Amino acid sequence: MSPKMKKALNDQIALEANASSSYLAMASWCEVTGYEGAASYFYAQSDEERTHMLKVVHYLNDMGANATIPATKVPSASYKSLETLIKTALKNEQTVTAAIHKMVEISQKEKDPSTYAFLEWFVNEQVQEETKFETLLQKFDLIGRDKLAINEIDKYLAAQATAEAEPAA
Ligand code: FEO
């Protein structure tokens, strides 16, 4: 594997680790604010990001390129509202998507078909991740932003967290 590709994949470990810790902080804020559904949703999302990070760690190690485990940034501890929090989550995902697309480009330039194939899963996953948060943001326009509406959105998030926790039939 080329040094450039290796660096990009190691940088991705940091991005996924930061996403996991950022979603953990979001979950914790939701929990103490009383948004139980959103808390479950973001605790699960944090776990998911950790699995993404591990995929890259294992891939680098399997390729004999040795993964580097990074320090993580201190995430924001509080949010103005649930909507602001979800907007931040969408922005995080857009940053991750851009990094993955950049890696696809590097894998093509560096003639690295193994990494190119490895990245396909991440490309598809990002489409789903962005759609998920865009759909959530639409709920605020559709249902509203008053207390009752936020409660409905929290219930929707609880249902989503449960649905995602259930193994696919
Ligand atoms: Fe692993 Fe949500 O990016």
Side-chain angles (χ1 to χ4, degrees):
M1 183 184 296
S2 77
K4 201 172 174 184
M5 193 74 261
K6 181 178 166 176
K7 181 180 182 317
L9 284 160
N10 271 309
D11 288 348
Q12 192 63 30
I13 294 176
L15 271 182
E16 303 288 355
N18 283 325
S20 177
S21 116
S22 165
Y23 292 145
L24 182 59
M26 288 179 182
S28 179
W29 179 83
C30 290
E31 191 167 42
V32 297
T33 310
Y35 299 140
E36 285 175 26
S40 305
Y41 185 90
F42 279 99
Y43 278 124
Q45 190 67 39
S46 172
D47 286 346
E48 204 181 305
E49 295 303 343
R50 186 178 150 75
T51 68
H52 297 172
M53 178 192 72
L54 285 172
K55 270 184 200 286
V56 186
V57 169
H58 293 317
Y59 178 70
L60 275 165
N61 289 339
D62 288 349
M63 297 301 282
N66 291 16
T68 306
I69 308 307
T72 49
K73 284 196 227 153
V74 177
S76 272
S78 68
Y79 294 88
K80 262 201 295 210
S81 65
L82 187 58
E83 187 178 8
T84 312
L85 182 153
I86 296 168
K87 276 186 185 162
T88 307
L90 176 60
K91 254 181 89 187
N92 281 351
E93 292 302 331
Q94 287 165 339
T95 304
V96 170
T97 302
I100 286 164
H101 290 177
K102 182 80 200 155
M103 282 196 293
V104 170
E105 213 182 292
I106 297 172
S107 72
Q108 286 170 315
K109 277 195 190 139
E110 306 282 319
K111 300 192 172 31
D112 182 345
S114 310
T115 304
Y116 180 82
F118 168 72
L119 291 171
E120 192 184 349
W121 181 89
F122 284 87
V123 171
N124 294 328
E125 174 69 11
Q126 282 313 116
V127 174
Q128 286 179 28
E129 296 268 84
E130 286 195 26
T131 304
K132 235 163 53 174
F133 289 124
E134 279 160 1
T135 306
L136 277 177
L137 283 175
Q138 278 177 330
K139 301 279 174 211
F140 292 88
D141 289 329
L142 293 170
I143 306 174
R145 291 173 176 82
D146 59 23
K147 285 183 181 171
L148 278 176
I150 303 289
N151 193 45
E152 280 308 305
I153 293 171
D154 192 49
K155 277 195 224 158
Y156 172 80
L157 282 161
Q160 292 298 112
T162 309
E164 282 182 25
E166 279 164 10

